[in-house]
Structures are given as C-alpha cells and as structure tokens.
Amino acid sequence: MQGSQYSVKVYETEIEDEIEFMAFFDANYTLFQNHLIVIQGELSEEIKSYLKEKSLNFIDNITLPKGRVKNSIRKSLEADLESEKIQNLAMQKIAEEKLTELSNKLENNLKVIDSRIRSGRELNIDGDLLLLNRVNSGATIKTSGNLIVTQVVEGSIRCNGNFLMLMASSKANIVFQGIEVDNALLSDTLNRVELENSKIKITPVLKKEINWA
C-alpha cells in the first residue's frame, strides 16, 4: 500500500453567528488560504457557498486528535494570528500616515467610509476617499481624487486621482487614470499605484515578511 503524509495547518471553529463568521474570514482571508478549516455544527448553504467562493478548504463535524497534537495546532494558529495582527496594525499605521499627508494638502475634500461596499452598489466620490472596509464582488467605486482601500477589493475600482492604494485581488477590476491595472503586478500587501511618464508605477508600501510555511 502506498500513501503520503502531509503537515496541515488546521483551524477548528463553530458557527454561532453567520454574519460574524463571514466578517472574521473576510478580515483574515490571507491567513486561512493555506489552512484546513474544521467547522463543528450545522452548515447552511449560504456558508458553504461563501467558503467555496473564497476557495477556502473546509470540512465539517469531524473529531480532531486531543491533547498534545491539538494544542500544537492551536499554538501555531495563535502565533500566525498574532503575526497577522501585527502586520495589519502596521498597514493601518502606514495608511494613517498617508492619510495625514494627504489631508494636509486638501481643503475638506476627503471622505472616510468604514462600511462594506456590497454587491450591486455604485459609489461615486467627488474628491478623495479613505475606505476602511472591503469592496464586494459586483460593487463599484469611482473617485475623481485619490483612493485608499485598507481591506480586500473584489469589485471594480475607477480612480482618477494622483495615486491609488490597495491590496492585490484576482477578482478586482482596477482602472487608474483610464488605464487598467494588471492584478498580477500587485503584491499581497498594500500597494501604491500612480502614473509616471504615462506608465503605471506600482510600489509595495509594506513588504510581507511572514513565512506561512
């Protein structure tokens, strides 16, 4: 008999509130891309569709090993979560610094939104926008000024400002100054997109230093 043994990172959870569950995985999506998610209890079709749409690996209602093995998994996950938390705080700090720099150049022309832009919604901003939440697939944001998005973007972005800051997403459709931005050139962190000599210039604002292996 032939077989293969794998080392897998596992996250075990139970759904108490579906909205909170999806919000948690929205906020920590990059961390769980390479995890096996074990969910205890009944899974609704909405949750199953959400996890499949996110391409997250999951199984439900199995019994994990007890004792040392399970504790080791938990400690590993807690360490990863702490690293992710530190990175997110760093990204937020950078965004705040950029926002302060931007605000000093404006005259009350900056809008800050902390709510999610849901599918089907089109947001038109005359000026600059700092968005502290995600952009769902099927949603569109248009700004005449600069745009900073600190969470995942899966919808459409149309920015005509001097710069655009956002993270990579294979689902996003990004047009900056009338030029479509190639998602493959964006890193999995905060990127600054600007136009230089009629060419798109992309600069990672914060390099990712976390080793997920």
Side-chain angles (χ1 to χ4, degrees):
M1 181 182 72
Q2 294 183 343
S4 300
Q5 180 174 328
Y6 298 90
S7 176
V8 180
K9 290 186 176 182
V10 179
Y11 178 64
E12 183 181 17
T13 185
E14 184 174 351
I15 301 175
E16 295 182 355
D17 184 294
E18 291 189 351
I19 295 178
E20 290 183 1
F21 177 89
M22 289 186 285
F24 173 78
F25 281 100
D26 281 342
N28 299 283
Y29 172 69
T30 56
L31 173 63
F32 292 105
Q33 282 179 306
N34 298 319
H35 279 70
L36 174 63
I37 303 168
V38 178
I39 304 174
Q40 305 296 354
E42 185 177 352
L43 269 69
S44 68
E45 290 301 321
E46 182 178 1
I47 291 296
K48 290 180 181 178
S49 298
Y50 169 81
L51 293 169
K52 290 177 181 177
E53 179 184 345
K54 286 291 189 182
S55 298
L56 293 172
N57 299 309
F58 69 95
I59 53 178
D60 61 298
N61 297 308
I62 68 164
T63 302
L64 292 173
K66 303 296 182 182
R68 186 176 301 174
V69 175
K70 190 171 183 179
N71 288 336
S72 176
I73 292 172
R74 182 181 295 109
K75 289 179 180 179
S76 175
L77 178 62
E78 288 174 351
D80 283 348
L81 282 170
E82 184 62 25
S83 296
E84 184 78 1
K85 180 180 179 181
I86 291 171
Q87 185 197 27
N88 287 339
L89 287 173
M91 290 177 65
Q92 182 179 351
K93 180 64 176 178
I94 289 171
E96 289 173 353
E97 290 174 355
K98 292 293 181 182
L99 175 60
T100 300
E101 177 185 338
L102 175 62
S103 299
N104 291 334
K105 300 178 182 178
L106 300 174
E107 296 181 357
N108 301 320
N109 199 28
L110 172 68
K111 187 174 183 65
V112 180
I113 298 177
D114 61 1
S115 59
R116 180 184 306 189
I117 311 303
R118 299 188 179 276
S119 179
R121 183 179 177 188
E122 182 174 309
L123 189 63
N124 291 281
I125 301 297
D126 183 17
D128 302 295
L129 172 64
L130 171 64
L131 178 62
L132 303 175
N133 214 310
R134 63 177 289 123
V135 181
N136 284 0
S137 177
T140 300
I141 292 182
K142 298 179 180 179
T143 66
S144 63
N146 305 307
L147 172 61
I148 299 175
V149 185
T150 62
Q151 297 294 327
V152 176
V153 175
E154 294 184 341
S156 297
I157 297 294
R158 302 290 183 267
C159 176
N160 289 308
N162 295 319
F163 70 84
L164 164 67
M165 293 177 67
L166 77 174
M167 293 185 291
S169 171
S170 60
K171 296 182 180 180
N173 177 250
I174 305 164
V175 176
F176 178 70
Q177 292 283 5
I179 301 174
E180 187 169 357
V181 178
D182 185 355
N183 274 299
L185 300 178
L186 298 175
S187 61
D188 188 20
T189 181
L190 204 59
N191 301 270
R192 181 184 176 98
V193 181
E194 52 196 336
L195 206 60
E196 190 174 276
N197 297 324
S198 300
K199 293 183 179 180
I200 292 291
K201 179 183 177 182
I202 299 174
T203 307
V205 176
L206 178 67
K207 293 184 178 180
K208 199 175 186 75
E209 298 180 349
I210 298 175
N211 182 7
W212 299 112

